[in-house]
Amino acid sequence: AKELYGTDEAARFMAELPHKYFDENNLHGALICRIRDYASAMTETERFLPYIDNWALCDTFSPKCFEKNVDKLWGHIEKWFCSNKTYTVRFGIVCAMRYFLDEDFSTNKFEKVISVSSNEYYVNMAIAWYVSVALVKQYDEVLPYIENKTMPRWVHNKSIQKACESLRISNDKKEYLKTLKMHE
């Protein structure tokens, strides 16, 4: 990507969607990640998202310029939540996890993420991952959602499991979280 970026060959390659091979999609994502202009990166991201077809590419695809433009990003994330494409929805959740769990955290955004409804394993796993990281970073804000059992049982329990697997949550918090698991 570093060698190809900005060349005519890269432009031709990026115009040729869909790609056939996993490595081609990885290269395409890496080329987008090198785009510094937010509007251009978002245009290319929107064009590429429907072709992401696996969790590995989805979770590693992260345009660098997004982190300096989080104020413009949330509207896109909410739109991605409504997609009928599994990995577009997952990408939105992963972006919410990447950019909106620190100083840009809000319970309103948290509630929007956990209200994403899907029967797709990779979407629900992303929500659980998001909640577990939210527990690491915003424990006091997020804990009431676990205590009040506001999520579907599978997502709720998987969130607790992933939080308990984290090295960034204390053992006493892990023990308490385990008491909050939902049973059938």
Side-chain angles (χ1 to χ4, degrees):
K2 187 176 183 179
E3 291 172 20
L4 278 180
Y5 181 73
T7 66
D8 290 341
E9 185 180 0
R12 283 191 303 275
F13 173 75
M14 290 179 71
E16 297 173 7
L17 281 171
H19 300 297
K20 183 176 179 182
Y21 298 106
F22 176 79
D23 289 341
E24 291 174 313
N25 281 325
N26 278 341
L27 175 59
H28 193 119
L31 288 167
I32 294 171
C33 289
R34 298 191 70 78
I35 299 172
R36 290 188 180 137
D37 176 67
Y38 175 80
S40 299
M42 184 55 73
T43 297
E44 289 301 318
T45 295
E46 294 277 8
R47 204 168 74 73
F48 183 53
L49 278 176
Y51 301 101
I52 294 177
D53 62 359
N54 65 82
W55 69 265
L57 175 57
C58 180
D59 295 359
T60 58
F61 175 53
S62 178
K64 191 84 171 136
C65 66
F66 283 12
E67 57 189 65
K68 291 188 173 142
N69 291 279
V70 293
D71 56 318
K72 301 173 189 170
L73 190 57
W74 186 256
H76 293 280
I77 289 172
E78 284 189 294
K79 186 181 84 171
W80 297 331
F81 290 165
C82 300
S83 174
N84 64 350
K85 300 278 190 181
T86 299
Y87 295 101
T88 299
V89 177
R90 183 178 173 103
F91 182 72
I93 295 163
V94 171
C95 281
M97 181 177 65
R98 251 184 215 124
Y99 305 113
F100 294 96
L101 288 180
D102 293 306
E103 59 273 357
D104 292 306
F105 176 80
S106 76
T107 55
N108 182 287
K109 287 180 176 79
F110 179 83
E111 288 172 3
K112 289 185 179 184
V113 175
I114 66 170
S115 70
V116 171
S117 179
S118 178
N119 292 324
E120 294 288 336
Y121 172 83
Y122 288 103
V123 169
N124 289 323
M125 185 57 88
I127 297 168
W129 181 23
Y130 168 85
V131 172
S132 72
V133 174
L135 282 164
V136 168
K137 296 181 172 199
Q138 304 289 341
Y139 185 82
D140 293 334
E141 296 285 334
V142 172
L143 184 62
Y145 294 91
I146 302 292
E147 291 173 327
N148 295 322
K149 298 174 172 44
T150 57
M151 296 174 285
R153 186 173 60 80
W154 190 91
V155 173
H156 174 93
N157 288 343
K158 188 59 74 172
S159 298
I160 291 171
Q161 176 190 331
K162 293 190 78 53
C164 290
E165 291 168 354
S166 173
L167 299 176
R168 299 184 293 169
I169 292 182
S170 67
N171 287 336
D172 58 321
K173 287 179 181 175
K174 289 178 185 181
E175 290 308 312
Y176 178 61
L177 287 170
K178 288 176 188 175
T179 70
L180 300 174
K181 282 204 162 197
M182 281 190 211
H183 304 285
E184 288 189 46

